[in-house]
Amino acid sequence: SKALMVVDTRTLQQVPGAPISLPFPLCPVVSPDGTRLTVACQGSNEIVTIDTATLQVPKRVPFAAGGSAIMAMAGSADGKRLYVTSLFGGYAGGQLAMLDAETLQPIPGGTPCRTSLAAIAVSPDGRRLFAASPINTTYWINPGASLLQVFDAATLDLVAATQVPCGWLNSLAVTPDRRHLLVASEGGSTILDT
């Protein structure tokens, strides 16, 4: 895709001013006050901010925190930070970075990862960041398993990691009560205790 579609949730019709032309937009993140939409553009390796009232693009910033392609992005619970993963060549590894959600500039604390992180989700209390790897270091030995990692959302220190036997993980969500992690994968959907 090379455009971001905006749809009225009441009518399911495209709103005036959309679509917004962007190079392969991924992972839209809406600010808590609803005024700002931030999108990762995989086609240009940029982070783009969109004014939700006007659908104008006031800011485009190259993502230079490491890696060759943006893979996923999520916002912190308070709307102050963005977490972005990027991929090195051949799924050999990647980078997990923090950005200031207002300026889109890197926040110290990024960490290299031995596997590519293709999906991320932040817990509602903002304390934990869950990341899924569709290919891990044991993939060729155990193709039915993927790696799920848990990071401290403030420091990006790795807290825990475990293999999940459900194929490639490609989407994550945390329930509002923080008790469960919802996982979508090529092997189906899974609910994990956090």
Side-chain angles (χ1 to χ4, degrees):
S1 172
K2 294 187 178 181
L4 178 71
M5 304 297 296
V6 182
V7 176
D8 188 306
T9 56
R10 296 165 298 177
T11 64
L12 300 184
Q13 299 297 311
Q14 182 176 300
V15 303
I20 304 167
S21 179
L22 294 171
F24 294 96
L26 300 172
C27 308
V29 176
V30 181
S31 62
D33 63 5
T35 62
R36 183 181 65 235
L37 174 67
T38 306
V39 180
C41 294
Q42 193 176 61
S44 58
N45 222 39
E46 296 177 295
I47 307 296
V48 175
T49 297
I50 299 167
D51 185 308
T52 57
T54 65
L55 299 184
Q56 297 300 304
V57 180
K59 190 174 298 182
R60 304 176 76 119
V61 176
F63 180 70
S68 59
I70 296 172
M71 292 294 289
M73 183 172 70
S76 63
D78 61 7
K80 294 181 178 180
R81 293 184 178 190
L82 296 168
Y83 301 95
V84 185
T85 69
S86 57
L87 170 70
F88 296 143
Y91 289 88
Q95 180 87 6
L96 174 61
M98 287 188 292
L99 305 181
D100 183 291
E102 181 68 32
T103 66
L104 304 184
Q105 295 304 307
I107 297 172
T111 182
C113 302
R114 63 189 179 92
T115 58
S116 61
L117 303 178
I120 52 177
V122 184
S123 62
D125 63 3
R127 297 177 59 190
R128 291 288 183 262
L129 177 69
F130 299 88
S133 299
I135 299 177
N136 61 46
T137 54
T138 61
Y139 179 77
W140 302 114
I141 300 173
N142 186 6
S146 285
L147 188 66
L148 178 66
Q149 299 177 77
V150 185
F151 296 88
D152 183 300
T155 64
L156 297 189
D157 291 334
L158 182 64
V159 176
T162 185
Q163 284 194 7
V164 181
C166 59
W168 290 17
L169 307 183
N170 50 46
S171 185
L172 302 173
V174 185
T175 56
D177 63 6
R178 308 189 304 277
R179 295 180 59 189
H180 297 101
L181 179 68
L182 310 180
V183 178
S185 73
E186 66 175 7
S189 299
T190 304
I191 300 176
L192 303 177
D193 190 310
T194 58

